[in-house]
Amino acid sequence: MSANHETLAAALAAHQIELPEPQVAALERYARLLWEWNEKINLTRHTDFEKFVTRDVVDAMAFSRFLSPGEKVLDVGTGGGLPGVILAILRPDLTIWLSEPVGKKARAVADMIERLGLNVPVVQGRAEDLLGPAQFNTLVVRAVARLWELLQWFRPHWDEFDRLLVLKGPAWIEERGEARHRGLFRDLALRKLWSYPLPGTNSESVLLQICPKDRLGEDKRCRLR
């Protein structure tokens, strides 16, 4: 059962996460806007500060540790703005775009972005359709699709971005095997960058990096770490 924290600051302190006060205030404002919109359309199951911290903030921080200063980042299928909005708050040095194919979700996130005063474009549509006109360094993906589906979607577009960072649960090994069976890893390299416990379960979250094999030696973002 989730702890009953009345403020985001209390939930962050309970998990020994220290952030500057302006970021804490912005994150709490975002959480409340997200929950306000969630009463109208289904955007999140994490409707208290404990889950917001242990699932949403912690996941965004995992992505953040592997993003270099100044990167241009596309949040694929942002849903309610995760992890992109939190990344925009935590990492103002990044250029972040959000993509969301479902119109009502895109409009909800755009409203939250405006009320938060963030300079983050929200595009209604599939991420693949943005890649031609706007090249990105990194695509971040959380809770969108199975690995084989992601690799199929982006297979024609690897000259338009550098790498995928994908957050998965324990089923990632099964998903990797499924993608390999379909031949989708022939020219791609997968690297497990980071893992951490999923609170309240015996499972862990895993951050994966996927790059073309021929870039591993030349692109600093795709070198084996």
Side-chain angles (χ1 to χ4, degrees):
M1 188 171 180
S2 297
N4 185 21
H5 301 296
E6 293 186 1
T7 66
L8 178 62
L12 290 169
H15 293 279
Q16 300 180 314
I17 297 173
E18 296 184 10
L19 295 172
E21 188 173 329
Q23 291 186 355
V24 175
L27 288 172
E28 177 157 346
R29 173 68 171 151
Y30 167 56
R32 294 189 185 280
L33 288 172
L34 179 61
W35 300 339
E36 176 186 316
W37 266 105
N38 201 56
E39 294 178 0
K40 304 171 188 175
I41 59 175
N42 182 27
L43 294 174
T44 182
R45 292 177 296 169
H46 304 158
T47 53
D48 58 52
F49 286 123
E50 174 71 9
K51 287 184 179 176
F52 181 72
V53 167
T54 59
R55 304 295 177 88
D56 300 329
V57 174
V58 168
D59 285 354
M61 291 176 72
F63 282 109
S64 178
R65 69 183 292 131
F66 293 99
L67 292 169
S68 302
E71 280 201 54
K72 192 171 185 180
V73 178
L74 176 62
D75 181 0
V76 176
T78 191
L82 299 162
V85 173
I86 296 179
L87 280 174
I89 293 170
L90 297 179
R91 294 286 305 275
D93 61 295
L94 301 173
T95 298
I96 297 177
W97 288 49
L98 310 181
S99 67
E100 173 52 51
V102 179
K104 60 184 179 180
K105 292 183 179 181
R107 290 188 291 274
V109 175
D111 175 76
M112 289 184 263
I113 290 289
E114 181 178 1
R115 291 161 74 180
L116 288 166
L118 297 174
N119 182 22
V120 177
V122 182
V123 180
Q124 181 185 339
R126 296 175 63 83
E128 309 93 284
D129 298 330
L130 299 178
L131 294 175
Q135 292 190 346
F136 295 90
N137 300 118
T138 299
L139 275 54
V140 297
V141 188
R142 174 185 185 256
V144 173
R146 295 181 72 82
L147 273 179
W148 76 264
E149 292 178 286
L150 293 171
L151 297 182
Q152 191 74 50
W153 295 345
F154 296 114
R155 193 173 188 177
H157 301 284
W158 278 102
D159 59 342
E160 296 160 356
F161 67 99
D162 297 334
R163 61 175 180 163
L164 282 169
L165 290 184
V166 184
L167 192 67
K168 286 288 180 182
W172 77 271
I173 295 175
E174 174 190 334
E175 291 189 32
R176 178 186 60 184
E178 189 176 43
R180 281 178 174 168
H181 180 72
R182 293 170 181 262
L184 294 169
F185 272 116
R186 285 196 191 100
D187 302 319
L188 300 175
L190 180 146
R191 175 80 168 176
K192 178 181 174 182
L193 295 180
W194 189 250
S195 63
Y196 50 96
L198 188 60
T201 74
N202 294 320
S203 301
E204 66 176 11
S205 295
V206 177
L207 186 64
L208 306 173
Q209 174 179 270
I210 302 169
C211 296
K213 290 178 180 177
D214 60 6
R215 289 187 201 162
L216 289 176
E218 63 186 41
D219 189 326
K220 67 179 181 179
R221 283 176 293 269
C222 288
R223 289 177 187 161
L224 298 179
R225 296 169 187 249

